[in-house]
Amino acid sequence: MDFQLSDDQRALRSGMRDLLDAVFDRGRLRAAVERGGALDRSLWRELGAAGFFALRLPEEAGGVGLGLPEAVLLFEEAGRALLPGPLVATHLAAGLVKGAAEGEAVVTALDGDLPVAHLAEADAVLVGADALVGEPLRAFVAAARPVRSMDPLTPLHRTGVSTGAAGARAVSGPAGTRAVTERTTAHAERIRFEGALLIAAEQLGSAARTTETAVQHAGDRQQFGSPIGSFQAVKHLCADMLARTEPARAAVYAAAVTGDPVEIAAAKLLADEAAVRNARDCLQIHGGMGFTWEADVHLHLKRAWLRAAARLDGAAAEELLAAGLGAARPHSGSSAAPGGGAPEAGGGG
């Protein structure tokens, strides 16, 4: 099977990179950090106008009519730019929540028992395949409490409510009226795994960006009259970063084509490892300046930690992979044994 990008896919990715360079450059990134991660609604609407959220909606429903492989490319670019906000949840809610597809509504998501990202600014909360809106949403937000987030671009709220409990409260329309029908478990699971894959794509973009940043710094920084990139220890760090990024890229792209939950679990594992370890190695290559607030390296590391806990964390992905291996027929004479935590982490959106 050929996983090379088509000309249209390359143009789509290039166009999104150009857009983000124009509307979310480093100045706007640091401005977002200074305001505590509060969302820029004008940026959200620009993403909506560009088709970011409506990418997979059918054309007859006002969408772009593309698929999961194309969505992965856009989310890879979003991760590369450290674009803040509940991007994944709003993308998944397009067609379900009014205004989500156009970027007029901000939709976050409840992810198990994890804190909820950007809850105070949300117009809806995705709960499985349903959404909390209106009066139930206001009551839900009022009962939540803010908690300290490791990522300055991602404010978090602890709700004390699990996904299942909130699902029973997902209503729309007049208060007390159940207007949201029960969707099938299969549909909710599909949304869950698609969300995990889109987060993996963001992790991939972050891993690629920190690799580029590390290589550039290693070429520019001089020590003992030579670029530090000429020293073997630094070369090995940069090579290891690339060796983590490219297998993760292959896994994410392949899982986008197949949509298989086991392949998505593998892609999430590889992308999480690449994003976290690459950010740490990038910080190491930057030396003392890498630990400073003014450098952007720590932002990639903190966001990577946050995303690694979201949707499908390492333990859950490993269990899914182990179950998939157990279901396969083992080779004769072979044996197999089934194979992340983070500081306070919340839903990656």
Side-chain angles (χ1 to χ4, degrees):
M1 185 177 290
D2 183 8
F3 289 112
Q4 294 295 318
L5 300 183
S6 67
D7 290 342
D8 287 343
Q9 288 172 328
R10 292 180 191 277
L12 179 69
R13 182 173 65 179
S14 176
M16 180 52 60
R17 182 172 299 189
D18 291 344
L19 173 66
L20 293 179
D21 285 344
V23 303
F24 196 71
D25 57 12
R26 187 176 185 275
R28 292 186 73 170
L29 169 65
R30 299 307 300 201
V33 171
E34 293 305 316
R35 63 174 182 266
L39 284 179
D40 182 347
R41 290 276 182 160
S42 64
L43 173 61
W44 213 250
R45 285 189 288 270
E46 286 189 72
L47 292 173
F52 188 94
F53 302 120
L55 186 78
R56 294 191 297 140
L57 277 182
E59 292 184 42
E60 55 269 24
V64 184
L66 296 179
L68 198 54
E70 288 76 23
V72 157
L73 298 177
L74 297 195
F75 276 85
E76 181 182 349
E77 291 304 313
R80 184 179 181 275
L82 269 181
L83 194 63
L87 300 164
V88 172
T90 305
H91 177 89
L92 293 173
L96 173 64
V97 174
K98 183 179 179 181
E102 298 81 10
E104 295 294 336
V106 174
V107 183
T108 189
L110 191 60
D111 183 11
D113 296 327
L114 292 177
V116 180
H118 296 278
L119 180 61
E121 302 164 294
D123 301 302
V125 176
L126 200 60
V127 184
D130 295 324
L132 280 171
V133 295
E135 187 58 37
L137 172 65
R138 287 187 284 275
F140 184 75
V141 172
R145 59 180 176 84
V147 294
R148 185 175 180 181
S149 173
M150 72 177 76
D151 177 15
L153 288 165
T154 310
L156 299 175
H157 281 74
R158 177 74 68 180
T159 65
V161 178
S162 67
T163 305
R169 298 161 55 185
V171 299
S172 65
T177 303
R178 290 193 67 89
V180 175
T181 61
E182 292 293 331
R183 288 171 171 81
T184 64
T185 301
H187 183 49
E189 282 295 287
R190 179 179 63 79
I191 289 178
R192 176 190 173 215
F193 283 109
E194 286 180 356
L197 181 60
L198 296 178
I199 290 176
E202 290 183 296
Q203 294 282 62
L204 171 62
S206 179
R209 182 59 173 265
T210 50
T211 301
E212 296 167 7
T213 302
V215 170
Q216 180 178 357
H217 182 76
D220 294 341
R221 176 71 170 168
Q222 298 275 331
Q223 283 289 347
F224 309 110
S226 300
I228 64 172
S230 66
F231 304 145
Q232 189 175 48
V234 177
K235 287 180 181 178
H236 285 179
L237 283 176
C238 292
D240 287 344
M241 292 171 75
L242 183 65
R244 285 189 287 266
T245 301
E246 292 311 308
R249 185 187 308 282
V252 169
Y253 287 5
V257 172
T258 66
D260 181 74
V262 175
E263 293 192 16
I264 290 174
K268 182 70 161 49
L269 275 175
L270 288 171
D272 285 344
E273 180 187 27
V276 172
R277 293 186 62 183
N278 281 16
R280 294 176 72 170
D281 284 351
C282 183
L283 191 150
Q284 179 72 28
I285 289 170
H286 276 71
M289 67 176 291
F291 289 86
T292 63
W293 183 257
E294 290 75 17
D296 295 338
V297 183
H298 70 96
L299 297 175
H300 279 278
L301 179 57
K302 292 168 181 175
R303 185 74 65 83
W305 273 332
L306 203 68
R307 292 192 191 115
R311 295 280 177 177
L312 193 65
D313 65 12
E318 287 171 356
E319 287 293 331
L320 189 59
L321 278 172
L325 290 171
R329 182 187 298 274
H331 292 293
S332 177
S334 69
S335 62
E344 180 77 282

